[in-house]
Amino acid sequence: MPLATLSDVLVPARDRGYAVAGLVCLGWEDMRAFVAAAEAEDAPVILQAGPSCREHTPLPVLGAMMRHLGERASVPVVVHLDHGYTMDECRIALDSGFTSLMYDGSRKPLAQNIDETAAVAALAHGAGISCEGEIGFVGYADGAASDGTDPGEAARFARESGVDAMAISVGNVHLQQNREGGLDEARIRAIEAVTDIPLVIHGGSGVPVAQRTHLARTSAICKYNVGTELRMAFGAALRDAVTRDPKRFDRVSILKETHDPVEAAARAVIRGMGRV
Ligand code: 13P
């Protein structure tokens, strides 16, 4: 299956009433398990390289690994830069074979966020790939507080930036380890009333699964970013594998044992995206 752009997978998702999982990758083991999960569920998937992933592994290496998996997959795979903070970083991702760029100008004043995101969207579109932007600010558990998306600003951002998908702040918070949060459905409805752009929810780990599915089916939310939930599954599997046999030292034999539990956790996430 050829690699896909964000628009390739999100437009059908919006039109047919489901969402696509944007799964946060930290390395070869998890990205491989995520593609296996998507194939098992016969669903498209978005492999995401965020800031902590790129701090550990350079973008050209990540691009090559993700493309290697995507080019051989039986389902559409998007190779996505998550939270790009500079034009330079976005250019390197483009040159590294990414098929989608997120530019995050959400901490900047509206006009600056629009201008900078529009420049990244133009770069992406010129190369035949997609761009995601963020309006409003999605905060962090035990960190910066959120700033909810204003529907009027969202409509202007979507129109003037030219992005293919728009991340919004509607009660979602990054890095939550439980699913006790919930999204503000009234704010989502107010946003989708003024724009028809596919919407993205960051901090998907904190959203109750029933709400993820319900909104995937009934709203313009077409992409949930999920990281923490899967990192927890990976961490638990790794801890088990390391401690089960204290004599074992070969890392490949240890890491191999993370594959099945991480694939199972990713399959559960993908099943919650509302596809029938
Ligand atoms: P969580 O780690 O909270 O699921 O968020 C992931 C995310 O939004 C990455 O952009």
Side-chain angles (χ1 to χ4, degrees):
M1 175 90 33
L3 293 161
T5 68
L6 206 54
S7 297
D8 290 336
V9 299
L10 296 194
V11 170
R14 180 193 58 198
D15 295 348
R16 294 179 210 154
Y18 60 84
V20 182
L23 303 180
V24 176
C25 301
L26 289 187
W28 178 247
E29 287 73 26
D30 49 20
M31 60 180 78
R32 192 164 155 247
F34 296 161
V35 172
E39 289 184 309
E41 294 298 326
D42 195 22
V45 70
I46 301 157
L47 298 179
Q48 309 208 146
S52 60
C53 179
R54 337 197 264 270
E55 203 182 293
H56 185 61
T57 308
L59 275 170
V61 178
L62 293 166
M65 291 196 299
M66 290 177 169
R67 288 184 68 96
H68 179 91
L69 288 167
E71 279 160 359
R72 287 159 184 77
S74 60
V75 291
V77 175
V78 181
V79 177
H80 178 79
L81 178 79
D82 192 26
H83 293 286
Y85 291 117
T86 65
M87 179 55 121
D88 259 7
E89 211 167 23
C90 292
R91 269 212 194 91
I92 294 169
L94 175 63
D95 292 343
S96 304
F98 281 64
T99 61
S100 176
L101 306 176
M102 182 210 179
Y103 180 72
D104 179 359
S106 63
R107 292 178 203 240
K108 302 187 173 176
L110 177 63
Q112 190 182 352
N113 187 9
I114 291 174
D115 287 352
E116 293 180 5
T117 306
V120 174
L123 173 78
H125 295 156
I129 67 169
S130 300
C131 180
E132 174 185 329
E134 178 168 328
I135 179 73
F137 175 70
V138 179
Y140 290 81
D142 303 324
S146 291
D147 178 16
T149 301
D150 172 81
E153 288 189 2
R156 181 175 158 204
F157 181 83
R159 207 171 47 242
E160 296 182 12
S161 69
V163 289
D164 304 286
M166 182 168 72
I168 54 172
S169 175
V170 287
N172 40 330
V173 176
H174 290 101
L175 306 181
Q176 292 184 97
Q177 293 180 29
N178 57 44
R179 299 184 195 130
E180 287 161 14
L183 300 180
D184 176 351
E185 296 195 20
R187 198 185 280 263
I188 294 166
R189 300 296 170 201
I191 294 167
E192 66 185 7
V194 291
T195 173
D196 61 1
I197 190 165
L199 302 177
V200 180
I201 296 296
H202 284 234
S205 298
V207 181
V209 176
Q211 191 181 38
R212 288 183 204 165
T213 310
H214 168 69
L215 289 170
R217 289 189 175 144
T218 64
S219 79
I221 292 171
C222 300
K223 173 175 182 262
Y224 285 97
N225 286 7
V226 179
T228 305
E229 182 174 326
L230 295 167
R231 278 201 298 283
M232 289 168 77
F234 183 91
L238 183 61
R239 191 167 293 106
D240 270 6
V242 169
T243 53
R244 213 169 28 76
D245 180 358
K247 290 205 202 67
R248 198 162 49 162
F249 56 84
D250 182 273
R251 95 171 186 218
V252 172
S253 78
I254 293 169
L255 287 169
K256 255 185 193 157
E257 289 180 22
T258 62
H259 183 87
D260 290 354
V262 174
E263 181 186 346
R267 284 187 72 170
V269 167
I270 291 168
R271 278 198 296 273
M273 297 288 113
R275 289 174 98 245
V276 285

